[in-house]
Amino acid sequence: MGKKDEYDDALEALQIELVTTQAWTIEQGMKVVIVFEGRDTAGKDGAIKRITEYASPRQTRVVALPKPTERETTQWYFQRYVPHLPAAGETVMFNRSWYNRAGVEPVMGFCTPEQYAKFLDDVPPFETMLTRSGIVLIKLWLDISKQQQAERLAERMEDPLKRFKVSSLDAEAQARWDAYSKARDRMLKDTHTAHAPWTIVATDDKKTARLNIIRHVLRTLDRPGADVAKPDKDVIFDAGEAKGKLNA
């Protein structure tokens, strides 16, 4: 059996577990939020696609908000995200989230230093309210090496099927690598809490990362009777144990 077959078989088994687990979360009336953050090209879209491929279309939503409108920029910062939160039995995945203000906005100058600092102060109590309301909040930071990111960015430019993945900000991902690293480190330091911890995923190997993300989600949801192997601790780990493991 080849490596591709092994991946496909492992993915199918995990997707069956996802379907069974989602049926259970619907039955239990659980509210699930999965936040996907990370550097450009780290594999957020691919991981979300594998999780949602066989999910219930009525109880599953992927939220990828565009640039805020002029009106939205005058709102309470979290206001545009709150309407997308789940009701009982629903699972919502944010493909980038309120954490835009902890990464791209301060690095690119899209928010003021005061707005940035206020956001970092406000996130822990905001997420405390979410978890106290009964939401299961899973926060994933997908990390990637600078060399691997450069290769994936180049592939995007050459592949006509990846047209919608190409962004005007792509070039900045490499040019501002150090600034993004600094923003990531501060975000993890200020917003990794007991009630809403960050989980780091090493994504240079996309397929391995996807399998481990699904394992982590399934083990976090903790359906009775589920038989899911522990994620590879070298691929996925708590942000509190990330020192020396994150790409500089």
Side-chain angles (χ1 to χ4, degrees), residues 55-85:
S56 167
R58 291 187 178 181
Q59 280 86 14
T60 310
R61 295 197 308 279
V62 177
V63 179
L65 297 184
K67 177 181 176 181
T69 64
E70 186 175 346
R71 179 177 181 274
E72 286 172 332
T73 61
T74 69
Q75 295 175 340
W76 174 50
Y77 178 73
F78 297 99
Q79 190 169 336
R80 68 196 298 251
Y81 296 98
V82 169
H84 300 282
L85 294 172

Side-chain angles (χ1 to χ4, degrees), residues 123-129 131 135 137 139 191-197:
V123 167
F126 172 69
E127 292 180 346
T128 296
M129 287 190 289
T131 56
I135 287 175
L137 179 59
K139 301 192 306 189
T191 66
H192 176 64
T193 61
H195 59 271

Side-chain angles (χ1 to χ4, degrees), residues 66-191:
K67 177 181 176 181
T69 64
E70 186 175 346
R71 179 177 181 274
E72 286 172 332
T73 61
T74 69
Q75 295 175 340
W76 174 50
Y77 178 73
F78 297 99
Q79 190 169 336
R80 68 196 298 251
Y81 296 98
V82 169
H84 300 282
L85 294 172
E90 295 179 347
T91 297
V92 175
M93 277 158 276
F94 284 94
N95 187 346
R96 296 200 183 277
S97 65
W98 45 91
Y99 282 101
N100 277 332
R101 183 142 290 180
V104 65
E105 288 192 19
V107 170
M108 295 302 299
F110 297 157
C111 68
T112 67
E114 293 76 18
Q115 288 173 322
Y116 175 43
K118 186 177 189 312
F119 170 80
L120 292 173
D121 285 342
D122 288 348
V123 167
F126 172 69
E127 292 180 346
T128 296
M129 287 190 289
L130 297 186
T131 56
R132 284 182 177 173
S133 76
I135 287 175
V136 178
L137 179 59
I138 302 172
K139 301 192 306 189
L140 301 171
W141 173 268
L142 279 59
D143 210 49
I144 188 172
S145 67
K146 188 174 184 180
Q147 179 181 348
Q148 185 62 228
Q149 185 190 65
E151 292 175 6
R152 291 185 190 177
L153 286 169
E155 289 172 7
R156 280 184 180 182
M157 298 300 294
E158 296 170 3
D159 188 344
L161 293 177
K162 295 184 178 179
R163 176 175 180 176
F164 295 116
K165 286 180 174 284
V166 177
S167 163
S168 59
L169 297 178
D170 283 352
E172 301 295 340
Q174 289 274 295
R176 301 182 189 242
W177 179 270
D178 291 343
Y180 274 113
S181 295
K182 185 177 179 181
R184 173 204 62 198
D185 293 347
R186 183 175 178 188
M187 179 195 76
L188 294 176
K189 175 178 175 291
D190 289 2
T191 66

Side-chain angles (χ1 to χ4, degrees), residues 201-231:
V201 188
T203 66
D204 275 15
D205 184 323
K206 288 190 287 189
K207 290 184 176 180
T208 299
R210 290 169 191 161
L211 297 177
N212 281 279
I213 286 170
I214 296 173
R215 290 185 186 115
H216 173 69
V217 169
L218 288 168
R219 289 180 69 89
T220 301
L221 294 175
D222 196 23
R223 175 179 60 83
D227 183 17
V228 181
K230 290 182 179 180

